[in-house]
Amino acid sequence: MKLIRYGSAGKEQTGVQIEGKNYDTSAFGEDYNELFFETDGLTRLADFISNNTLKELPSDTRLGSPIARPSKILCIGLNYKDHAEETGAKIPKEPIIFMKSTTALIGPYDDIMIPKGSQKTDWEVEFCVVIGKKASYVEEVDAEEYVAGYLLHNDVSEREYQLERGGTWDKGKGCDTFAPLGPVLATKDEIQDIHKVNIWLKLNGETVQHGNTCNLIFDVPYIVSYVSKFMTLLPGDVISTGTPAGVGLGMNPPVYLKPGDVLELGADGLGVQRQHVVAYKP
């Protein structure tokens, strides 16, 4: 299945995407949240779909994040060798973990807002894992059992805040609008091989990032297992697995987002996002 959520921001209802068309499942009566995943919601949703006639949504319907606000958005830094090299960073010996604020969450086609006073807002296309059940001290060989599905993420980053303002990376990662997710959450059966997923990003029509999950330094099962040894993962939590080379920070000279720019990004089986960049507004 491919799950979607639609409607005005903060008031989204649930749906599914079937053969490229979006359908309403609001009569199912549950949001795609922690409780949904915890109580085998994917199985119950599949039964609902097979036993009901679904109404197709208008093509211009706004899509929000395909999951409700999770307890955590976790990210793995410098997880592609070429990205680490372009930023001048050392190849990590263990996964680098940071968090994005859940208030950064937006839909896949919503505007990205440059923070007040920002000069170095950047882009990062990433492949994400969504946790399906509570996970603590998971063995790598069992990691797949704890996964509900996968989705696309633009890990928008303010590089001055991240790298020049002291402390951890989090302050450059969690600004409002900095976590577009979607358009779909694809269940595990929808992705033939999570170790061979192409991801890409275009800036104003020009491809600047192109990578494949086969080049991850730490792959998905290892990441799920590793993170679960440091914190309990809850159903619906998101783990973003890192970005390949081609970010603005790594260009010579660096290139950063400005109002009027357009980002388009995608991944095999996970659809395409598109965002306009706008100036800060209260």
Side-chain angles (χ1 to χ4, degrees), residues 6-75:
Y6 72 92
S8 59
K11 299 179 180 179
E12 289 90 350
Q13 299 186 75
T14 62
V16 290
Q17 187 177 97
I18 302 172
E19 297 182 351
K21 296 182 179 180
N22 296 328
Y23 295 88
D24 173 39
T25 63
S26 59
F28 178 65
E30 302 177 38
D31 203 353
Y32 302 151
N33 55 21
E34 181 179 338
L35 181 62
F36 168 81
F37 292 109
E38 184 177 36
T39 57
D40 199 22
L42 290 173
T43 299
R44 292 184 289 105
L45 177 64
D47 290 342
F48 173 85
I49 292 169
S50 65
N51 290 303
N52 289 272
T53 300
L54 305 181
K55 179 182 177 181
E56 185 177 349
L57 298 171
S59 60
D60 60 351
T61 301
R62 174 191 174 269
L63 295 185
S65 163
I67 59 171
R69 185 183 296 176
S71 83
K72 296 182 284 295
I73 301 174
L74 296 156
C75 301

Side-chain angles (χ1 to χ4, degrees), residues 107-125:
Y109 311 118
D110 293 341
D111 293 341
I112 291 172
M113 182 175 67
I114 295 176
K116 187 176 183 179
S118 166
Q119 299 296 318
K120 297 182 179 181
T121 297
D122 204 348
W123 59 84
E124 294 189 5
V125 60

Side-chain angles (χ1 to χ4, degrees), residues 94-203:
E94 294 189 42
I96 296 170
I97 302 172
F98 63 90
M99 291 191 179
K100 294 185 80 99
S101 170
T102 58
T103 54
L105 186 65
I106 59 171
Y109 311 118
D110 293 341
D111 293 341
I112 291 172
M113 182 175 67
I114 295 176
K116 187 176 183 179
S118 166
Q119 299 296 318
K120 297 182 179 181
T121 297
D122 204 348
W123 59 84
E124 294 189 5
V125 60
E126 306 204 3
F127 177 84
C128 290
V129 180
V130 178
I131 299 300
K133 62 180 181 179
K134 188 175 179 179
S136 180
Y137 294 99
V138 172
E139 295 298 326
E140 186 176 348
V141 68
D142 300 322
E144 186 179 357
E145 298 176 19
Y146 293 83
V147 174
Y150 308 99
L151 47 71
L152 179 67
H153 174 213
N154 188 354
D155 176 21
V156 186
S157 308
E158 213 294 343
R159 302 304 189 185
E160 178 189 353
Y161 301 174
Q162 177 189 358
L163 302 172
E164 302 173 31
R165 300 289 293 273
T168 65
W169 291 0
D170 301 64
K171 66 180 73 172
K173 296 287 190 170
C175 304
D176 290 352
T177 75
F178 272 24
L181 295 182
V184 301
L185 181 153
T187 52
K188 289 185 289 185
D189 58 296
E190 294 280 352
I191 305 298
Q192 185 173 2
D193 186 350
I194 60 168
H195 304 292
K196 293 182 180 180
V197 178
N198 286 300
I199 61 174
W200 54 268
L201 182 144
K202 295 180 180 181
L203 172 63

